């Protein structure tokens, strides 16, 4: 028993959920445990004013449960604003499964996770995120209808990553237009960090556009694979953040713009797919602004995936998916201009629009 080893006065200082820095008035946090399959998951439901909380499931070998909780709180909050700014009638939610996706993910574990999702009666709808594939969502679909991102052969919209990458590409072009006066990325020196599902698809767009692309990843196999396919350069140095570059595209995990990296950054634009790129939004957003680095808010430009899975719920087709995703270009430019005119960070400018939409709906509901 934890109370045997920690006194109640010590325990009262911990405030495990509501007291977390990342807690932002989340509506519900659900801890899921199943001894037989080894499932340990947390579902975070941040806000359901605009609709059911939709967001992917991430499977990751966290160092400890605090990290997992922190991640799900941050990610689910991000989903609320992502859907709000994209004009979708969805709330924000996310799930994390604690474990190694390569060695611990089994069909039984995925189906058990699906049962937990089902128990929320549609308040949370899942999809894929890091460590998940379309086939995993197909397994979840066997036990609950509250899942998106299932195979096209099973009536779903398929893997959302290519559309996410296309949206990031649109957002990047808008940021380039704002910063360099031209949306063309030809000969731009672009670093893509993380060449997984989204990163690789982004590399393809950039190479087609004539950009000079450098890639990094923790997987040598992936690096070699992407280099051989697209002829891009593998980064051989040991401090990516200090490298001169036009555009930094974080496409791995979040919080890479932090106290350790932010003053080293030589990039002129940051535009990537990773969620929660700013370790502390207010502080790091402000420093980027002061340093003249244009930051295309992550939750705005990586919305292609949610646009894609939302199609499954709303029954719209590929054309509408592309139209909505291409609109990320306009919204990004609008936000960058708004931030400049109002003297706020780009992240704040984007959040203001998202929050206003939620507040308006809340007022209408009353
Ligand atoms: P993925 O798991 O397919 O790819 C992630 C890649 O990052 C892997 O190749 C991994 O080896 C690499 N990586 C991990 N840590 C790294 C590090 N420290 N340095 C360099 N590389 C590292 O995931 P994905 O689906 O491509 O998603 C990438 C990011 O985009 C995630 O943050 C995800 O939350 C976000 N995102 C994805 C989607 C989507 O549609 N898949 C939508 C919105 C946001």
């Amino acid at each position: 028993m934890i109370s045997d080893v920690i006194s109640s006065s010590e325990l009262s200082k911990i405030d495990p959920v509501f007291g977390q820095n990342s807690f932002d008035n989340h509506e519900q946090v659900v801890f899921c445990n199943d001894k037989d399959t080894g499932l340990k998951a947390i579902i975070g439901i941040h806000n359901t004013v605009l609709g059911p909380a939709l967001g992917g499931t991430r499977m990751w070998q966290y160092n400890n449960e605090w990290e997992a909780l922190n991640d799900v709180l941050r990610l689910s909050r991000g989903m609320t604003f992502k859907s709000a700014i994209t004009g979708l009638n969805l709330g924000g939610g996310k799930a994390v499964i604690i474990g190694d996706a390569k060695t611990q993910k089994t069909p039984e574990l995925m189906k058990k996770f699906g049962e937990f999702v089902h128990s929320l009666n549609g308040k949370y709808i899942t999809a894929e995120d890091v460590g998940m594939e379309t086939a995993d969502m197909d397994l979840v679909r066997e036990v609950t209808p509250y899942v998106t991102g299932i195979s096209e052969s099973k009536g779903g919209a398929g893997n959302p990553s290519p559309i996410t990458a296309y949206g990031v590409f649109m957002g990047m072009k808008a940021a380039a237009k704002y910063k360099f006066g031209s949306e063309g990325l030809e000969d731009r020196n672009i670093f893509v960090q993380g060449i997984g599902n989204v990163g690789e698809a982004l590399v393809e767009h950039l190479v087609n556009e004539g950009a000079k692309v450098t890639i990094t990843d923790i997987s040598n196999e992936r690096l070699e694979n992407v280099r051989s396919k697209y002829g891009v350069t593998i980064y051989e140095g040991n401090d990516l953040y200090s490298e001169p570059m036009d555009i930094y595209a974080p496409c791995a995990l979040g919080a890479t713009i932090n106290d350790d990296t932010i003053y080293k950054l030589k990039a002129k634009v940051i535009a990537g797919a990773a969620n929660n790129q700013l370790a502390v939004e207010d502080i790091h957003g402000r420093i980027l602004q002061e340093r003249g680095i244009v930051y295309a808010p992550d939750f705005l430009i990586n919305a292609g995936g949610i646009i894609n899975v939302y199609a499954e719920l709303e029954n719209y087709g590929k054309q509408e998916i592309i139209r909505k995703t291409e609109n990320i270009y306009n919204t990004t430019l609008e936000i960058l201009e708004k931030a400049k005119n109002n003297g706020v960070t780009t992240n704040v400018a984007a959040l203001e629009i998202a929050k206003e939409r939620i507040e308006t709906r809340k007022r209408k509901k009353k």
Side-chain angles (χ1 to χ4, degrees), residues 308-349:
N308 195 60
V309 296
Y310 189 56
E312 286 178 30
L313 303 177
E314 294 289 305
N315 277 323
Y316 56 75
K318 271 273 177 286
Q319 258 185 334
E320 182 61 8
I321 292 174
I322 298 289
R323 192 196 64 75
K324 279 185 160 52
T325 306
E326 286 181 340
N327 198 40
I328 289 175
Y329 178 92
N330 299 324
T331 317
T332 306
L333 261 185
E334 213 178 285
I335 300 283
L336 298 180
E337 290 292 345
K338 180 181 172 206
K340 184 174 70 183
N341 295 338
N342 296 356
V344 296
T345 68
T346 55
N347 204 61
V348 166

Side-chain angles (χ1 to χ4, degrees), residues 54-335:
L54 195 152
T57 297
R58 173 173 293 187
M59 186 158 185
W60 193 254
Q61 187 73 69
Y62 293 97
N63 289 317
N64 53 58
E65 290 169 22
W66 294 112
E67 259 187 32
L69 177 60
N70 186 51
D71 211 22
V72 81
L73 290 175
R74 280 167 63 87
L75 289 165
S76 54
R77 173 181 180 271
M79 292 309 295
T80 298
F81 301 128
K82 185 184 309 204
S83 286
I85 201 157
T86 311
L88 310 180
N89 289 321
L90 291 173
K94 202 90 180 180
V96 295
I97 297 177
I98 301 171
D100 184 340
K102 286 206 181 80
T103 58
Q104 288 169 273
K105 192 168 64 180
T106 61
E108 293 73 29
L109 180 137
M110 287 314 303
K111 283 195 217 166
K112 185 51 78 174
F113 173 70
E115 286 174 21
F116 280 105
V117 171
H118 193 69
S119 72
L120 294 168
N121 285 318
K123 191 172 181 184
Y124 169 66
I125 302 173
T126 198
E128 66 179 271
D129 191 62
V130 176
M132 288 290 142
E133 282 156 29
T134 309
D136 299 313
M137 295 305 113
D138 291 346
L139 286 166
V140 172
R141 182 67 187 84
E142 289 180 23
V143 293
T144 181
Y146 305 125
V147 53
T148 55
I150 53 174
S151 303
E152 288 173 276
S153 60
K154 293 189 160 57
N159 178 7
S161 305
I163 297 291
T164 301
Y166 187 52
V168 171
F169 180 57
M170 288 292 124
M172 189 184 281
K173 282 169 93 54
K177 168 93 180 152
Y178 178 85
K179 181 72 180 176
F180 309 120
S182 158
E183 63 168 61
L185 299 173
E186 198 182 350
D187 290 333
R188 291 267 169 234
N189 185 5
I190 304 175
F191 275 58
V192 180
Q193 179 187 40
I195 34 123
N197 288 315
V198 181
E200 178 178 342
L202 177 63
V203 166
E204 187 174 358
H205 288 297
L206 298 177
V207 167
N208 289 341
E209 181 99 351
K212 290 183 190 146
V213 180
T214 305
I215 53 172
T216 67
D217 201 287
I218 50 173
S219 158
N220 287 331
E221 195 187 329
R222 289 214 54 79
L223 286 170
E224 283 307 333
N225 186 285
V226 172
R227 170 166 59 187
S228 67
K229 267 185 171 157
Y230 306 100
V232 291
T233 307
I234 295 177
Y235 179 56
E236 304 283 1
N238 53 18
D239 191 10
L240 154 86
Y241 303 102
S242 303
E243 293 296 325
M245 64 182 87
D246 293 314
I247 301 175
Y248 164 48
C251 296
L253 297 182
T256 56
I257 299 151
N258 55 45
D259 288 349
D260 294 334
T261 60
I262 198 157
Y263 287 108
K264 294 196 272 185
L265 273 174
K266 295 198 175 66
K268 301 176 185 80
V269 165
I270 300 174
N275 286 306
N276 301 322
Q277 292 165 22
L278 305 176
V280 184
E281 281 177 12
D282 296 351
I283 297 173
H284 299 117
R286 176 65 60 189
I287 300 173
L288 289 179
Q289 184 191 25
E290 286 164 3
R291 298 199 58 220
I293 300 172
V294 173
Y295 170 65
D298 48 14
F299 66 89
L300 166 63
I301 72 166
N302 71 12
I306 192 121
I307 292 170
N308 195 60
V309 296
Y310 189 56
E312 286 178 30
L313 303 177
E314 294 289 305
N315 277 323
Y316 56 75
K318 271 273 177 286
Q319 258 185 334
E320 182 61 8
I321 292 174
I322 298 289
R323 192 196 64 75
K324 279 185 160 52
T325 306
E326 286 181 340
N327 198 40
I328 289 175
Y329 178 92
N330 299 324
T331 317
T332 306
L333 261 185
E334 213 178 285
I335 300 283

